[in-house]
Amino acid sequence: MRIAVLSDIHANLPALDAVLAALGEVDAVWHLGDVVGYGPHPDEVVARLAEVGAIGVRGNHDEAALGNLDATYFNPAARWAVEWTGGRITTETRAWLEALPERLEIDEMTLVHGSPRDPVWEYVTTTPAARANLGAFATPFCLHGHTHVPAAWCDDDGQVELVRPSDGSELALGARRLLLNPGSVGQPRDGDPRTAYAVYDDHERTVTVHRLEYDIAATQQKMVAAGLPDWLIQRLSRGR
Ligand code: ZN
């Protein structure tokens, strides 16, 4: 099976549609949470994911948009956007988000938003955090997001190694445990504004990371019209 792995879409429909068009036929679409928040198209993105039968997990922005957690932990622009999202999503969108679990296990993969030991909140950005989390899931591999930066942490006989995948990087699934982050579809933060996603091939036993241009200006125009904070609009061009 060829499976699309999409994380941190953040209500950015032009980015999601560019990815879906580039993917063509896939056997499944998995998402790793933060479907909404920051971006201008929460209902449209949820409708598109429902249309393609995507399955996945909930992120901290999804939780906040549902009003399930205190948004004062967010920076002011993120909080503004999440309150804007919570105030406008339809009951269908809300129900779809409410149904997302915190964690999914599908065959050899665990899916979470942040980390396996703290599925909604933890950022895996350091070797000690990666080491602890590489021992915190029951399957051989774990897919996660939340940092908006593509990364693969592998456990090589107790040594934790970090690989930074670029466009076209193919990671082989072997004996080593892996914590794999495909980057963000809707708000990349590694200095490359192109959308990021991965394709998992369970027959070839590979995960390949891709980067792709999308119509950033279309998303930004919609954000301007919605009155979303300027800093959030500008960061899409910088990929920061
Ligand atoms: Zn996010």
Side-chain angles (χ1 to χ4, degrees):
M1 291 215 300
R2 215 170 137 257
I3 298 156
V5 183
L6 315 181
S7 193
D8 296 274
I9 301 165
H10 280 296
N12 186 338
L13 187 68
L16 175 61
D17 278 347
V19 168
L20 292 174
L23 282 165
E25 278 284 305
V26 285
D27 298 294
V29 177
W30 294 352
H31 74 83
L32 306 177
D34 279 7
V35 170
V36 301
Y38 294 130
H41 307 107
D43 290 323
E44 296 89 334
V45 162
V46 166
R48 186 72 84 246
L49 290 178
E51 189 184 310
V52 300
I55 57 170
V57 293
R58 62 172 66 193
N60 54 315
H61 283 257
D62 307 319
E63 286 277 40
L66 291 168
N68 291 344
L69 60 81
D70 185 356
T72 52
Y73 290 109
F74 284 58
N75 70 56
R79 183 178 171 182
W80 201 101
V82 95
E83 285 171 353
W84 177 87
T85 304
R88 83 183 291 279
I89 52 175
T90 64
T91 50
E92 290 82 1
T93 297
R94 188 170 287 278
W96 191 91
L97 292 171
E98 287 278 12
L100 297 174
E102 281 192 357
R103 175 196 309 267
L104 271 177
E105 284 181 15
I106 309 170
D107 300 321
E108 60 185 359
M109 292 289 181
T110 295
L111 279 64
V112 289
H113 177 63
S115 78
R117 68 176 177 183
D118 185 357
V120 176
W121 278 104
E122 185 183 18
Y123 291 92
V124 181
T125 53
T126 64
T127 302
R131 179 175 289 114
N133 277 295
L134 278 162
F137 50 95
T139 57
F141 314 109
C142 176
L143 299 168
H144 74 121
H146 196 37
T147 66
H148 298 208
V149 176
W153 300 88
C154 18
D155 184 346
D156 203 358
D157 272 338
Q159 289 283 77
V160 174
E161 200 187 302
L162 169 63
V163 175
R164 291 268 180 222
S166 52
D167 182 31
S169 293
E170 186 181 279
L171 301 148
L173 301 176
R176 303 191 305 178
R177 290 174 71 74
L178 260 178
L179 199 53
L180 210 138
N181 187 328
S184 168
V185 170
Q187 196 199 76
R189 289 182 193 162
D190 60 348
D192 181 348
R194 292 179 299 171
T195 181
Y197 64 100
V199 176
Y200 164 40
D201 188 318
D202 68 352
H203 181 70
E204 297 293 329
R205 308 200 34 76
T206 56
V207 177
T208 308
V209 172
H210 297 277
R211 304 303 290 262
L212 182 70
E213 307 265 358
Y214 75 96
D215 192 350
I216 295 174
T219 302
Q220 290 173 319
Q221 279 157 19
K222 188 79 195 274
M223 290 173 84
V224 170
L228 284 158
D230 189 55
W231 177 65
L232 296 181
I233 299 169
Q234 298 311 322
R235 74 183 303 180
L236 292 179
S237 306
R238 298 194 308 270
R240 290 278 180 208

